């Protein structure tokens, strides 16, 4: 997850067209976020012909599988600020336990969730209702935006980010890192269990 993903697809498209002379047709169906990030196009100075050559030679690598925009939610900066009783329309959850990485988006407005790809899985009405109350139920508005602290040496590793998108389009994100699981917000394990349980029991 990088700051590159803070730009919308349209902003990335316009940047590539203005800076490197691409046409809209050349950029159709391309994962623009990954292309820009891989070549550091916002920070490095390349001639336009060279950048066009990068894409021409590697076009098959950068075909967009539909996940770029979907999981861009998870690149929201961890600044907290979720108000109590907020009307949540999407929840994004990233968890990295050792070698296991998972990305999830729960789309409450449309009653579906996504796990690591662009396949929509249905949520029941009850599950959608449960998720709308998740933040308040587990006290997320009272969490620090980022949770990390000094720990004893360990081989463990758990990194996470949790994003709530409200009905007005604003986003509030929380995150953290712990090796021995000692630095987690209050009730975090309950919230983690609830989100994973919804997926396990979804229709």
């Amino acid at each position: 997850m990088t700051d590159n993903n803070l730009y919308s697809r349209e902003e990335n498209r316009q940047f590539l067209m203005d800076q490197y002379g691409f046409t809209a047709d050349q950029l159709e169906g391309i994962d623009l976020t990954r292309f820009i990030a891989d070549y550091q196009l916002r920070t490095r100075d390349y001639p336009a012909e060279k950048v066009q050559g990068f894409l021409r030679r590697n076009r098959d690598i950068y075909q967009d599988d539909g996940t770029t925009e979907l999981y861009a939610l998870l690149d929201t900066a961890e600044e907290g600020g979720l108000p109590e009783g907020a009307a949540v329309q999407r929840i994004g959850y990233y968890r990295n336990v050792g070698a296991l990485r998972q990305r999830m988006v729960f789309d409450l407005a449309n009653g579906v969730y996504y796990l690591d790809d662009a396949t929509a899985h249905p949520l029941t009405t009850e599950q959608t209702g449960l998720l709308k109350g998740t933040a308040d139920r587990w006290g997320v508005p009272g969490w620090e935006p980022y949770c990390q602290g000094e720990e004893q040496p360990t081989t463990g590793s758990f990194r996470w980010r949790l994003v709530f998108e409200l009905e007005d389009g604003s986003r509030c994100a929380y995150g953290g890192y712990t090796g021995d699981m000692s630095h987690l917000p209050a009730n975090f394990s309950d919230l983690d269990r609830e989100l994973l349980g919804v997926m396990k029991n979804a229709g």
Side-chain angles (χ1 to χ4, degrees):
M1 297 183 292
T2 69
D3 289 343
N4 289 297
N5 283 326
L6 299 179
Y7 295 94
S8 69
R9 177 174 176 79
E10 178 55 34
E11 289 171 327
N12 283 333
R13 188 176 72 93
Q14 199 60 51
F15 166 75
L16 290 170
M17 291 171 67
D18 293 345
Q19 192 74 19
Y20 298 108
F22 285 102
T23 66
D25 286 345
Q26 287 174 311
L27 300 176
E28 188 65 32
I30 297 298
D31 185 337
L32 305 182
T33 299
R34 191 156 57 91
F35 179 61
I36 291 171
D38 284 357
Y39 290 101
Q40 303 173 40
L41 297 183
R42 290 189 180 274
T43 56
R44 299 188 64 176
D45 187 20
Y46 289 111
E49 312 82 64
K50 191 167 188 175
V51 175
Q52 290 193 26
F54 291 156
L55 185 57
R56 186 169 56 252
R57 289 189 298 272
N58 300 294
R59 189 174 185 85
D60 57 329
I61 297 175
Y62 292 102
Q63 291 298 312
D64 191 348
D65 62 2
T67 60
T68 304
E69 291 293 318
L70 178 60
Y71 292 103
L73 172 70
L74 292 170
D75 291 282
T76 306
E78 293 122 336
E79 297 178 347
L82 182 69
E84 290 188 16
V88 176
Q89 67 176 3
R90 286 201 301 166
I91 300 173
Y93 185 31
Y94 169 80
R95 63 197 307 275
N96 180 356
V97 186
L100 175 65
R101 294 178 176 85
Q102 293 175 302
R103 297 179 301 168
M104 311 161 208
V105 171
F106 300 89
D107 185 342
L108 310 184
N110 294 298
V112 296
Y113 78 88
Y114 303 86
L115 174 63
D116 290 328
D117 59 26
T119 303
H121 304 276
L123 293 168
T124 65
T125 302
E126 292 75 14
Q127 288 170 331
T128 300
L130 179 76
L131 290 169
K132 286 182 177 180
T134 290
D136 285 344
R137 183 161 44 257
W138 304 118
V140 176
W143 290 1
E144 291 295 320
Y146 193 83
C147 188
Q148 185 174 6
E150 187 172 339
E151 300 180 354
Q152 296 298 318
T154 176
T155 58
S157 175
F158 180 50
R159 189 177 302 279
W160 61 277
R161 181 175 288 178
L162 185 64
V163 184
F164 296 89
E165 182 179 85
L166 310 187
E167 290 181 352
D168 64 3
S170 61
R171 297 174 179 177
C172 305
Y174 299 80
Y177 175 82
T178 181
D180 61 10
M181 306 304 281
S182 64
H183 286 86
L184 290 168
N187 303 319
F188 179 87
S189 295
D190 294 308
L191 185 148
D192 176 74
R193 191 178 303 113
E194 182 167 279
L195 295 181
L196 296 181
V198 164
M199 289 195 305
K200 182 179 179 180
N201 298 307

